[in-house]
Amino acid sequence: MVSDKDEPVWSVTEGGVVTPHDDVCLTRRTLMLGMLVGVLQLAGSGTIARASAINPSETQITLPDAIKWTTWSGAPPHSGEMATLYGGLDKPGPYLVLMKWYPGYMSAPHSYATDRLSLVMSGTWWVNSGADFDPDSTVPVPAGGFVRRVAGTPHYDGAKSGAKQPVVIALFGIAPVQLKLVDPGKPNWRKI
């Protein structure tokens, strides 16, 4: 046991008896000082730890600044954007996309042919199920929250007016998603 006080370090003997070390008295302060001295010695030696190069055929990295956001097809300006990280919504197979909803916009009730798994990355996402669009009955899902959209069930979602930032959602599923509006005669984007 290590503590802030000058208490002995306890150990278990072969017989299972817990006893203090009489010859060694370590404190958290002593341990921290020892680690600091070791780090300073390493830093002063000029030795630098280097990682091996990433093999891009094995590991692909996209840094946040390199993610390409595009306006959703048919969406009003500054309402929503999407960034495809893997696969695609219309290409057969798994996909991973980021969706960004700007405050004051929601989707019209719609459904998908396959389940969609959603993880809120930042902001608050407002969601509901059903064919009737009622933004006042949506439920908030904060960053870190998870939402599963069951295939074939109508739902709608977005970011309420007054939010200080857009909401960003990571979406996972199997494509093609085959988005189907509940009422194709009404706009698929709603300003609220």
Side-chain angles (χ1 to χ4, degrees):
M1 179 175 104
V2 178
S3 72
D4 284 332
K5 299 177 183 174
D6 289 329
E7 296 176 359
V9 175
W10 296 83
S11 62
V12 179
T13 64
E14 287 183 32
V17 178
V18 179
T19 61
H21 288 266
D22 292 328
D23 56 338
V24 178
C25 184
L26 294 177
T27 64
R28 182 177 292 151
R29 192 173 20 256
T30 305
L31 285 173
M32 295 300 287
L33 183 59
M35 288 189 292
L36 179 61
V37 168
V39 168
L40 290 174
Q41 286 175 338
L42 180 61
S45 71
T47 303
I48 298 173
R50 298 191 190 276
S52 62
I54 296 284
N55 181 340
S57 68
E58 297 172 358
T59 301
Q60 294 92 37
I61 297 172
T62 304
L63 297 176
D65 291 346
I67 293 175
K68 293 182 180 8
W69 293 91
T70 58
T71 302
W72 292 334
S73 176
H78 207 64
S79 59
E81 297 175 335
M82 181 180 292
T84 301
L85 301 177
Y86 182 81
L89 300 178
D90 295 327
K91 299 175 184 176
Y95 65 86
L96 169 59
V97 297
L98 297 177
M99 294 179 80
K100 186 184 297 184
W101 281 103
Y102 287 93
Y105 286 94
M106 293 191 129
S107 63
H110 62 282
S111 64
Y112 304 113
T114 58
D115 282 7
R116 176 174 275 186
L117 308 177
S118 311
L119 181 63
V120 180
M121 305 300 291
S122 65
T124 300
W125 192 31
W126 293 83
V127 303
N128 202 349
S129 298
D132 297 324
F133 183 72
D134 181 9
D136 293 331
S137 67
T138 55
V139 175
V141 183
F146 172 78
V147 175
R148 176 183 171 215
R149 298 297 200 179
V150 177
T153 61
H155 59 273
Y156 53 97
D157 46 63
K160 287 199 172 181
S161 298
K164 295 181 182 181
Q165 64 181 6
V167 59
V168 176
I169 306 111
L171 303 171
F172 312 87
I174 303 296
V177 297
Q178 300 173 354
L179 180 127
K180 180 179 176 185
L181 292 171
V182 169
D183 187 349
K186 293 185 178 177
N188 56 345
W189 307 100
R190 309 282 172 90
K191 180 147 179 69
I192 54 170

